[in-house]
Amino acid sequence: MTLWQTIPLAYLAVVTIPLVRIDWKTHKLPNVWVMPGYAALVIAWIGFWMTTGEYPMIPAISAAGYFTFMLLLSYGGGMGMGDVKLAGLLGGAAGLIGVPAAILSPVLAFVAGGVASLVVLILTFSRRSDLPFKQAWAVTKQTRIPFGPFMLLGYWIAMVLPIVASVNY
């Protein structure tokens, strides 16, 4: 792992736990925690560009793709703008690691978030079975779950999987 890959990784290591705690509590990902990561990302991209002579195309595409996808989902009301901004940061950082990490990070986030949502819906439905079907499945303040922690989980699993896969037992 190069220095340029480590810079955004280190920043995300510092802010992951506070972001998870804040998002679980408030359903918000504050700019004060997310936006400085873009400075770390830009520094890493410039350093990568200066040392290799190549424009960091994969990280740029990954950041733009994840950001745009989440932005489109936010128009439906399912995601907040904090999730959208975090997606760009995670996409750019994962893209610096490589294409597999850039693809795995959002895929794992949606799988983990989907499983958690399914568990919440099943538990909610079983507790509210006396209500009509449509009302029993309604999203309330008690059943909403933040997506930021799952995005960060997907990112960290995508970072650790290549390390685990390369270990010979």
Side-chain angles (χ1 to χ4, degrees):
M1 184 168 285
T2 69
L3 169 67
W4 310 118
Q5 293 168 319
T6 307
I7 292 171
L9 187 91
Y11 179 79
L12 286 164
V14 169
V15 301
T16 291
I17 291 174
L19 281 175
V20 168
R21 291 180 68 210
I22 292 166
D23 203 14
W24 273 114
K25 206 176 216 181
T26 67
H27 290 266
K28 293 184 183 340
L29 292 165
N31 285 342
V32 72
W33 289 96
V34 175
M35 297 312 282
Y38 280 96
L41 197 57
V42 167
I43 290 167
W45 286 7
I46 291 170
F48 177 85
W49 193 358
M50 292 177 69
T51 56
T52 65
E54 309 173 15
Y55 180 75
M57 189 61 70
I58 292 170
I61 291 170
S62 177
Y66 201 178
F67 181 91
T68 303
F69 181 68
M70 293 297 284
L71 183 62
L72 292 172
L73 290 178
S74 76
Y75 287 131
M79 302 291 168
M81 284 307 294
D83 295 324
V84 174
K85 292 177 234 176
L86 182 61
L89 175 59
L90 295 177
L96 271 172
I97 303 300
V99 174
I103 293 169
L104 270 177
S105 178
V107 168
L108 292 171
F110 277 93
V111 168
V115 168
S117 296
L118 188 61
V119 168
V120 168
L121 285 174
I122 290 169
L123 292 174
T124 301
F125 184 70
S126 65
R127 275 191 249 134
R128 303 174 81 197
S129 58
D130 57 322
L131 297 173
F133 185 76
K134 190 173 183 180
Q135 287 178 342
W137 288 91
V139 176
T140 65
K141 285 194 182 246
Q142 291 79 25
T143 60
R144 277 184 40 207
I145 59 172
F147 192 57
F150 297 104
M151 293 169 65
L152 290 160
L153 177 66
Y155 171 79
W156 286 111
I157 292 173
M159 296 303 107
V160 171
L161 272 179
I163 296 167
V164 172
S166 68
V167 173
N168 294 325
Y169 292 101

